[in-house]
Short mmCIF file of all heavy atoms in Angstrom, two decimals:
data_model
loop_
_atom_site.label_atom_id
_atom_site.label_comp_id
_atom_site.label_asym_id
_atom_site.label_seq_id
_atom_site.Cartn_x
_atom_site.Cartn_y
_atom_site.Cartn_z
N GLU A 1 0.83 -1.24 -0.02
CA GLU A 1 -0.02 0.02 -0.01
C GLU A 1 0.88 1.28 0.03
O GLU A 1 1.80 1.39 0.78
CB GLU A 1 -0.89 -0.02 1.24
CG GLU A 1 -1.84 1.19 1.28
CD GLU A 1 -2.78 1.08 2.48
OE1 GLU A 1 -2.67 0.21 3.35
OE2 GLU A 1 -3.68 1.99 2.59
N ILE A 2 0.44 2.18 -0.87
CA ILE A 2 1.02 3.53 -0.95
C ILE A 2 2.57 3.47 -1.02
O ILE A 2 3.27 4.10 -0.22
CB ILE A 2 0.60 4.47 0.16
CG1 ILE A 2 -0.94 4.37 0.39
CG2 ILE A 2 0.93 5.93 -0.20
CD1 ILE A 2 -1.46 5.07 1.62
N SER A 3 3.10 2.57 -1.81
CA SER A 3 4.52 2.24 -1.89
C SER A 3 4.99 2.19 -3.33
O SER A 3 4.20 2.39 -4.27
CB SER A 3 4.84 0.99 -1.12
OG SER A 3 4.55 1.11 0.24
N TYR A 4 6.23 1.92 -3.46
CA TYR A 4 6.83 1.96 -4.82
C TYR A 4 7.14 0.54 -5.26
O TYR A 4 6.69 -0.43 -4.69
CB TYR A 4 8.12 2.82 -4.80
CG TYR A 4 7.78 4.30 -4.50
CD1 TYR A 4 7.90 4.75 -3.17
CD2 TYR A 4 7.49 5.16 -5.52
CE1 TYR A 4 7.57 6.04 -2.92
CE2 TYR A 4 7.18 6.49 -5.22
CZ TYR A 4 7.28 6.91 -3.94
OH TYR A 4 6.93 8.28 -3.69
N ASP A 5 8.08 0.37 -6.18
CA ASP A 5 8.39 -0.86 -6.89
C ASP A 5 8.34 -2.10 -6.00
O ASP A 5 8.91 -2.10 -4.89
CB ASP A 5 9.81 -0.76 -7.45
CG ASP A 5 9.93 0.53 -8.30
OD1 ASP A 5 8.95 0.97 -8.87
OD2 ASP A 5 11.08 1.06 -8.33
N ALA A 6 7.69 -3.16 -6.52
CA ALA A 6 7.57 -4.42 -5.83
C ALA A 6 7.61 -5.54 -6.82
O ALA A 6 7.14 -5.43 -7.89
CB ALA A 6 6.29 -4.52 -4.98
N VAL A 7 8.20 -6.63 -6.34
CA VAL A 7 8.11 -7.91 -7.11
C VAL A 7 7.48 -8.93 -6.14
O VAL A 7 7.86 -9.09 -5.03
CB VAL A 7 9.50 -8.42 -7.53
CG1 VAL A 7 9.40 -9.81 -8.14
CG2 VAL A 7 10.16 -7.49 -8.48
N ILE A 8 6.39 -9.55 -6.66
CA ILE A 8 5.64 -10.49 -5.90
C ILE A 8 5.65 -11.78 -6.62
O ILE A 8 5.01 -11.90 -7.75
CB ILE A 8 4.18 -10.04 -5.68
CG1 ILE A 8 4.20 -8.64 -4.96
CG2 ILE A 8 3.37 -10.98 -4.88
CD1 ILE A 8 2.84 -7.94 -4.89
N ARG A 9 6.37 -12.78 -6.19
CA ARG A 9 6.52 -14.03 -6.96
C ARG A 9 6.55 -15.27 -6.05
O ARG A 9 7.01 -15.26 -4.93
CB ARG A 9 7.73 -14.01 -7.84
CG ARG A 9 9.03 -13.94 -7.09
CD ARG A 9 10.22 -13.93 -8.06
NE ARG A 9 11.48 -13.76 -7.34
CZ ARG A 9 12.46 -12.96 -7.71
NH1 ARG A 9 12.35 -12.26 -8.84
NH2 ARG A 9 13.51 -12.83 -6.98
N ASP A 10 6.05 -16.34 -6.60
CA ASP A 10 6.15 -17.68 -5.98
C ASP A 10 5.53 -17.70 -4.58
O ASP A 10 6.16 -18.35 -3.69
CB ASP A 10 7.55 -18.22 -5.96
CG ASP A 10 8.10 -18.46 -7.42
OD1 ASP A 10 7.27 -18.76 -8.27
OD2 ASP A 10 9.31 -18.28 -7.64
N ASN A 11 4.42 -17.04 -4.40
CA ASN A 11 3.70 -17.06 -3.09
C ASN A 11 2.51 -17.94 -3.27
O ASN A 11 1.98 -18.16 -4.35
CB ASN A 11 3.28 -15.70 -2.68
CG ASN A 11 4.44 -14.79 -2.48
OD1 ASN A 11 5.17 -14.86 -1.50
ND2 ASN A 11 4.67 -13.93 -3.46
N SER A 12 2.00 -18.54 -2.16
CA SER A 12 0.78 -19.35 -2.26
C SER A 12 -0.27 -18.76 -1.39
O SER A 12 0.03 -18.20 -0.28
CB SER A 12 1.00 -20.81 -1.95
OG SER A 12 1.39 -20.94 -0.59
N PHE A 13 -1.52 -18.83 -1.79
CA PHE A 13 -2.63 -18.16 -1.15
C PHE A 13 -3.80 -19.20 -1.00
O PHE A 13 -4.10 -19.86 -1.93
CB PHE A 13 -3.17 -16.97 -1.89
CG PHE A 13 -2.12 -15.98 -2.27
CD1 PHE A 13 -1.35 -16.10 -3.35
CD2 PHE A 13 -1.96 -14.88 -1.36
CE1 PHE A 13 -0.43 -15.15 -3.65
CE2 PHE A 13 -1.02 -13.94 -1.71
CZ PHE A 13 -0.19 -14.05 -2.81
N ALA A 14 -4.44 -19.25 0.22
CA ALA A 14 -5.54 -20.10 0.46
C ALA A 14 -6.40 -19.51 1.56
O ALA A 14 -6.00 -19.24 2.63
CB ALA A 14 -5.16 -21.52 0.78
N GLY A 15 -7.71 -19.35 1.22
CA GLY A 15 -8.70 -19.02 2.25
C GLY A 15 -8.53 -17.65 2.95
O GLY A 15 -8.90 -17.48 4.03
N ASN A 16 -7.97 -16.74 2.24
CA ASN A 16 -7.82 -15.36 2.78
C ASN A 16 -9.02 -14.52 2.35
O ASN A 16 -9.72 -14.76 1.35
CB ASN A 16 -6.55 -14.69 2.23
CG ASN A 16 -5.35 -15.46 2.63
OD1 ASN A 16 -5.01 -15.47 3.82
ND2 ASN A 16 -4.61 -16.03 1.72
N GLY A 17 -9.33 -13.47 3.11
CA GLY A 17 -10.28 -12.46 2.73
C GLY A 17 -11.77 -12.81 3.11
O GLY A 17 -12.66 -12.08 2.71
N ALA A 18 -11.99 -13.83 3.87
CA ALA A 18 -13.38 -14.26 4.16
C ALA A 18 -14.14 -13.22 4.95
O ALA A 18 -15.33 -13.13 4.82
CB ALA A 18 -13.36 -15.56 4.94
N ALA A 19 -13.47 -12.37 5.69
CA ALA A 19 -14.21 -11.36 6.55
C ALA A 19 -14.37 -10.04 5.77
O ALA A 19 -14.96 -9.12 6.29
CB ALA A 19 -13.40 -11.09 7.82
N VAL A 20 -13.95 -10.01 4.51
CA VAL A 20 -14.03 -8.75 3.75
C VAL A 20 -14.87 -9.04 2.51
O VAL A 20 -14.30 -9.37 1.44
CB VAL A 20 -12.64 -8.20 3.40
CG1 VAL A 20 -12.73 -6.85 2.77
CG2 VAL A 20 -11.72 -8.23 4.57
N PRO A 21 -16.18 -8.86 2.57
CA PRO A 21 -17.03 -9.14 1.45
C PRO A 21 -16.93 -8.11 0.33
O PRO A 21 -17.38 -8.38 -0.79
CB PRO A 21 -18.43 -9.22 1.99
CG PRO A 21 -18.42 -8.34 3.22
CD PRO A 21 -16.97 -8.50 3.71
N GLU A 22 -16.42 -6.91 0.63
CA GLU A 22 -16.30 -5.84 -0.45
C GLU A 22 -15.38 -6.24 -1.52
O GLU A 22 -14.35 -6.89 -1.28
CB GLU A 22 -15.93 -4.51 0.24
CG GLU A 22 -16.98 -3.94 1.20
CD GLU A 22 -16.72 -4.54 2.63
OE1 GLU A 22 -15.70 -5.09 2.88
OE2 GLU A 22 -17.63 -4.35 3.41
N TRP A 23 -15.61 -5.69 -2.66
CA TRP A 23 -14.75 -5.92 -3.78
C TRP A 23 -13.33 -5.41 -3.47
O TRP A 23 -13.12 -4.45 -2.86
CB TRP A 23 -15.28 -5.10 -5.01
CG TRP A 23 -14.37 -5.05 -6.17
CD1 TRP A 23 -14.25 -6.04 -7.11
CD2 TRP A 23 -13.51 -4.05 -6.56
NE1 TRP A 23 -13.34 -5.68 -8.08
CE2 TRP A 23 -12.82 -4.44 -7.73
CE3 TRP A 23 -13.12 -2.82 -5.99
CZ2 TRP A 23 -11.90 -3.64 -8.36
CZ3 TRP A 23 -12.17 -2.04 -6.60
CH2 TRP A 23 -11.57 -2.48 -7.80
N LEU A 24 -12.32 -6.15 -3.87
CA LEU A 24 -10.88 -5.78 -3.78
C LEU A 24 -10.26 -5.99 -2.46
O LEU A 24 -9.17 -6.62 -2.37
CB LEU A 24 -10.69 -4.31 -4.24
CG LEU A 24 -9.23 -3.88 -4.31
CD1 LEU A 24 -8.48 -4.62 -5.37
CD2 LEU A 24 -9.13 -2.38 -4.60
N TRP A 25 -10.84 -5.58 -1.32
CA TRP A 25 -10.13 -5.62 -0.06
C TRP A 25 -9.76 -6.99 0.43
O TRP A 25 -8.81 -7.16 1.21
CB TRP A 25 -10.94 -4.81 0.99
CG TRP A 25 -11.10 -3.38 0.62
CD1 TRP A 25 -12.22 -2.84 0.12
CD2 TRP A 25 -10.09 -2.41 0.56
NE1 TRP A 25 -11.98 -1.52 -0.20
CE2 TRP A 25 -10.72 -1.20 0.07
CE3 TRP A 25 -8.72 -2.35 0.89
CZ2 TRP A 25 -9.99 -0.02 -0.08
CZ3 TRP A 25 -8.04 -1.16 0.67
CH2 TRP A 25 -8.67 0.00 0.18
N GLY A 26 -10.45 -7.97 -0.02
CA GLY A 26 -10.15 -9.39 0.39
C GLY A 26 -9.39 -10.18 -0.66
O GLY A 26 -9.30 -11.36 -0.57
N SER A 27 -8.80 -9.49 -1.63
CA SER A 27 -8.17 -10.20 -2.72
C SER A 27 -6.83 -10.84 -2.28
O SER A 27 -6.25 -10.48 -1.24
CB SER A 27 -7.91 -9.23 -3.87
OG SER A 27 -7.12 -8.19 -3.48
N ALA A 28 -6.33 -11.78 -3.07
CA ALA A 28 -5.05 -12.43 -2.79
C ALA A 28 -3.90 -11.36 -2.74
O ALA A 28 -3.12 -11.37 -1.84
CB ALA A 28 -4.72 -13.51 -3.77
N ILE A 29 -3.86 -10.52 -3.68
CA ILE A 29 -2.79 -9.47 -3.82
C ILE A 29 -3.50 -8.15 -4.15
O ILE A 29 -4.26 -8.02 -5.07
CB ILE A 29 -1.79 -9.77 -4.95
CG1 ILE A 29 -1.13 -11.13 -4.74
CG2 ILE A 29 -0.75 -8.65 -5.05
CD1 ILE A 29 -0.27 -11.58 -5.92
N GLN A 30 -3.19 -7.15 -3.29
CA GLN A 30 -3.67 -5.89 -3.48
C GLN A 30 -2.51 -4.88 -3.59
O GLN A 30 -1.66 -4.87 -2.68
CB GLN A 30 -4.60 -5.47 -2.36
CG GLN A 30 -5.18 -4.08 -2.51
CD GLN A 30 -6.05 -3.74 -1.31
OE1 GLN A 30 -6.46 -4.55 -0.50
NE2 GLN A 30 -6.32 -2.45 -1.16
N ILE A 31 -2.41 -4.13 -4.63
CA ILE A 31 -1.31 -3.20 -4.87
C ILE A 31 -1.86 -1.79 -5.04
O ILE A 31 -2.68 -1.54 -5.99
CB ILE A 31 -0.48 -3.58 -6.15
CG1 ILE A 31 0.07 -5.03 -5.95
CG2 ILE A 31 0.66 -2.60 -6.29
CD1 ILE A 31 0.77 -5.54 -7.21
N GLN A 32 -1.49 -0.91 -4.11
CA GLN A 32 -1.87 0.50 -4.25
C GLN A 32 -0.51 1.22 -4.36
O GLN A 32 0.23 1.27 -3.41
CB GLN A 32 -2.60 0.96 -2.97
CG GLN A 32 -3.83 0.26 -2.75
CD GLN A 32 -4.41 0.61 -1.36
OE1 GLN A 32 -4.46 1.82 -1.05
NE2 GLN A 32 -4.82 -0.35 -0.59
N ILE A 33 -0.25 1.73 -5.51
CA ILE A 33 1.07 2.25 -5.84
C ILE A 33 1.16 3.78 -6.03
O ILE A 33 0.21 4.45 -6.33
CB ILE A 33 1.66 1.54 -7.05
CG1 ILE A 33 0.72 1.78 -8.29
CG2 ILE A 33 1.84 0.04 -6.78
CD1 ILE A 33 1.22 1.22 -9.55
N ARG A 34 2.39 4.26 -5.80
CA ARG A 34 2.66 5.65 -6.08
C ARG A 34 2.92 5.76 -7.60
O ARG A 34 3.17 4.79 -8.29
CB ARG A 34 3.90 6.13 -5.32
CG ARG A 34 3.78 6.03 -3.83
CD ARG A 34 3.41 7.32 -3.30
NE ARG A 34 3.34 7.21 -1.83
CZ ARG A 34 3.28 8.23 -1.03
NH1 ARG A 34 3.29 9.47 -1.52
NH2 ARG A 34 3.23 8.13 0.26
N SER A 35 2.96 6.92 -8.16
CA SER A 35 2.90 7.06 -9.67
C SER A 35 4.19 6.51 -10.33
O SER A 35 4.06 6.18 -11.53
CB SER A 35 2.75 8.54 -10.00
OG SER A 35 3.79 9.30 -9.49
#
């Protein structure tokens, strides 16, 4: 969140975001970037 360059690789995700029914906030990967 609100950060710069990132590499996200070879991670595994299971069962995350169940408490966040809104679009996006419960996603596996969320990137909010600076310009």
Side-chain angles (χ1 to χ4, degrees):
E1 183 176 8
I2 315 172
S3 294
Y4 299 94
D5 309 330
V7 173
I8 302 170
R9 66 179 174 222
D10 297 328
N11 299 283
S12 65
F13 304 86
N16 298 294
V20 188
E22 294 86 14
W23 173 82
L24 183 66
W25 299 107
S27 61
I29 301 171
Q30 180 181 344
I31 302 173
Q32 301 173 44
I33 57 176
R34 301 263 184 165
S35 61

